[in-house]
Structures are given as structure tokens and as C-alpha cells.
Amino acid sequence: MESTVSTELIPGLPEELGLECLTRLPYTAHRFASRVCRRWSRLLLSKEFYYHRKKYGYTHKIACLVQARKAVSTDRVKPGGSPDYGITVFDSVSHSWERLDPVPDYPNGLPLFCQLASCEGKLVVMGGWDPDSYNPITDVWVYDFATQRWTRGKDMPSKRSFFAIGAFAGRVYVAGGHDENKNALKTGCVYDLGGNEWSELAQLSRERDECEGVVIGEEFWVLSGYGTESQGEFVGSADVYDFSSGQWRPVEGVWEAGGCPRTCVGVGKDGQLVNWAELDPAVRVGICGVTLGSRALVTGSGYQGGPHGFYMMEMRGGQNSKLEDINVSDEFLGFVQSGCSVEI
């Protein structure tokens, strides 16, 4: 912090008191506070200030959801009749719902099946299919909650769909999925948010199309998936990447073989894997869960074509509480394709 903060952040107050006052500002005020002066702007938008707020408990987690929304134009028809998607934000502290501004290049809906991750208080959106042509894309977009603006990141090194994603220490890790020719992949890569650069990872032990990624402690778990020659035959194993050593290790028997892991995998308070679809009969279909500290937001339906419910659940060591209904306005009742938490 010493290199970022100079004296008299607030005239008439000692340095430490000025910093304490700005640290206590809610994130919703940062955009306006950063306009007060250049010094405030440099401080409030710095990575060091984010970690300072996090250290002293002035951050909290929100859920960012890829959610179906109403079409922005009634005369716009998509091939196949698929819905438009936007990013919905649920703040469990203020119990508020809002929708982020569209990604600049996609004003009429997010890329289909794009993936979300979070780094240092920012939301990262990458990959997916062009919502009009259905062609896979390599776009990377970053949303800064402090400035409430999108910026373009460096494109992914290659086109891949239905890959695993996870974030740790300012980097986003990507592995598996399939290429534009539907070949399952066992390659991976990592995006450095600060440096805006990509680099390759060592290969997985096997091809893993439609796998799911979660970060547990200092490890990136790539669960299940299937190979090119075994379409839809989901395996029960995982590849686990150790951030400190930079090496993968295979782990067997961590997922029910034959079951698709997409959006079903979470991490409990005890660090154990959770299958959201096994929590309650009310969320058997179209399930998506997002962990928000000691609680989790869970969405899903009881049966195919059924109403989409939204619930909160207390995360406990080795045991989870019952689902609690959330009152949600009609605007935010759309199907949730995927989601992640962002600490702001």
C-alpha cells in the first residue's frame, strides 16, 4: 500500500485515517469517488487497494449469472429459437438483483455457452459461440465493478467450447473442452489478467470434453468429461492442477460415471465436492449453484419444463441446510445457464 498511497488522502486527516475512511466505502460508491481527484482514482482502482479491503473484511461475494432474458427486439429471430442471455447480478447482502450492461460487441445477447470466472474483484467472460452465427469465438471481456465498465482482453489462443474454467491469484485457468471440429481436448492454458497474456499449461492425463472446473484451496480440479471416441460417456475421474508445482495429477472416483458435471459441481464449506442436483427434488433439472461464502445461491427446476426456482442454502461442514425460497421479480426468473461468484 505504501507505493500507492501518499499523504493527506483526505485533507486534515492523518494518512491512516484517510485510508480507513476510503476502505470503508461500499463498492457502489467507488465509481463516483474515483472522480474526486487523480490520487483517489489511482488508489480506488488499484489491485493493492482491493487486497487491502479484502484483508480487513470490507469485501463480499456476489453471484454473477448467465441468465435468459427477454428479447430486446420482437422482430429479431435467432436460428433455432434460442433465447438471449445477459449477466444478472445477485447481491445476497443487499438482496438486490440487477443486470449488467451488455458486452460491447454483443448488445443483443451474450455469446452462447460463454464461461465466467472472477479475478481481483473483476468478472471475466470468455469463449462461447457467436449468438447469431453459432460459430465458436475466442473473445475475452473483463468487467470492472469499480468503474462499471467492460474492457477487451487478449483473445484465447484457440477456439474451444465446453471447457473447464477456474481462477486463482489473478489468473484464469482453462482446460479440456473440444475444438471447432468437435475433437475433445486435453490441452490447457492460463490467462494472466494483469499482464493480459496467455500461456500454455501441461496437458491433462486424458481428453475431457464437457468437463467442469472448480478451485479447491490451491488446486484447480477438472472433473469428468469424455473423449472424442466416447461421446457422452462421462467418466468419474478428474485431473487436478497444483498451482504451486504447475503439475497435474489424475484422481479416480470423484464423480458419478455417466453423469454430466456441467454447472452441477460446487465446493462445500469443508472443501468437499458438492453435486447441486442431489440437494433437493426441487432442483433436479437445469441446476446451477454459486457459493457465496458460508451460503450458496441455487437455481433449478423439479422436472423438465417446470418453473425455475431460486433458493439460498447455508453451507455447513459435511452437511447442508434446507433450501430457502427467494422472492424474485419476473424480470429475473429466466433459466440460468451458468454462474460464478465475484468478491467485490
Side-chain angles (χ1 to χ4, degrees), residues 15-318:
E15 169 75 3
E16 61 274 13
L17 288 183
L19 177 59
E20 180 69 16
C21 290
L22 293 182
T23 300
R24 291 172 178 265
L25 278 178
Y27 84 94
T28 51
H30 288 187
R31 181 182 183 184
F32 303 102
S34 65
R35 298 173 182 172
V36 171
C37 63
R38 290 182 180 178
R39 293 180 58 246
W40 278 30
S41 178
R42 287 195 298 268
L43 173 67
L44 268 62
L45 302 182
S46 69
K47 179 174 68 175
E48 291 80 8
F49 184 66
Y50 169 77
Y51 281 111
H52 179 77
R53 291 177 59 244
K54 184 175 180 178
K55 177 180 178 181
Y56 289 100
Y58 291 107
T59 58
H60 69 279
K61 293 184 177 182
I62 58 174
C64 292
L65 311 173
V66 177
Q67 185 180 43
R69 61 180 189 175
K70 293 181 180 178
V72 295
S73 173
T74 56
D75 60 0
R76 182 172 178 269
V77 179
K78 280 188 170 184
S82 62
D84 290 310
Y85 285 88
I87 293 180
T88 297
V89 175
F90 171 62
D91 189 329
S92 62
V93 174
S94 62
H95 298 281
S96 62
W97 294 81
E98 63 176 324
R99 191 154 282 141
L100 296 187
D101 290 336
V103 173
D105 282 3
Y106 301 95
N108 296 318
L110 286 168
L112 299 174
F113 309 114
C114 60
Q115 300 279 48
L116 304 184
S118 65
C119 277
E120 298 171 347
K122 300 177 177 65
L123 175 68
V124 182
V125 179
M126 59 175 61
W129 301 350
D130 184 284
D132 292 315
S133 68
Y134 284 21
N135 292 323
I137 58 175
T138 57
D139 295 12
V140 175
W141 289 92
V142 180
Y143 186 82
D144 190 330
F145 282 88
T147 62
Q148 299 176 30
R149 293 175 182 170
W150 290 100
T151 56
R152 182 81 182 247
K154 188 172 183 178
D155 283 2
M156 300 176 67
S158 61
K159 295 177 181 178
R160 69 172 72 212
S161 303
F162 298 99
F163 50 86
I165 190 170
F168 182 80
R171 293 176 171 84
V172 179
Y173 293 78
V174 167
H178 66 252
D179 64 19
E180 53 191 322
N181 296 314
K182 308 298 184 183
N183 295 309
L185 302 170
K186 60 178 182 179
T187 57
C189 50
V190 55
Y191 176 59
D192 183 334
L193 187 65
N196 194 30
E197 290 292 340
W198 285 91
S199 56
E200 290 186 5
L201 294 175
Q203 290 194 352
L204 305 171
S205 65
R206 62 187 301 161
E207 297 174 342
R208 294 188 184 275
D209 194 3
E210 292 198 58
C211 50
E212 181 72 357
V214 293
V215 172
I216 304 177
E218 297 190 357
E219 296 179 330
F220 175 40
W221 286 62
V222 179
L223 284 101
S224 192
Y226 52 81
T228 305
E229 303 302 322
S230 54
Q231 290 285 318
E233 297 179 12
F234 290 94
V235 298
S237 65
D239 276 294
V240 180
Y241 183 82
D242 186 296
F243 295 123
S244 59
S245 69
Q247 299 296 317
W248 294 97
R249 75 175 191 277
V251 180
E252 299 294 330
V254 294
W255 185 254
E256 183 179 353
C260 178
R262 302 295 297 174
T263 74
C264 290
V265 183
V267 182
K269 194 174 181 180
D270 56 357
Q272 298 299 309
L273 293 172
V274 174
N275 186 342
W276 300 118
E278 295 179 349
L279 293 176
D280 192 283
V283 290
R284 293 296 190 200
V285 179
I287 184 74
C288 180
V290 178
T291 302
L292 302 170
S294 62
R295 307 192 80 196
L297 171 69
V298 182
T299 75
S301 300
Y303 54 92
Q304 196 68 41
H308 201 64
F310 291 79
Y311 311 90
M312 290 299 292
M313 181 190 70
E314 193 74 27
M315 304 289 287
R316 299 171 181 168

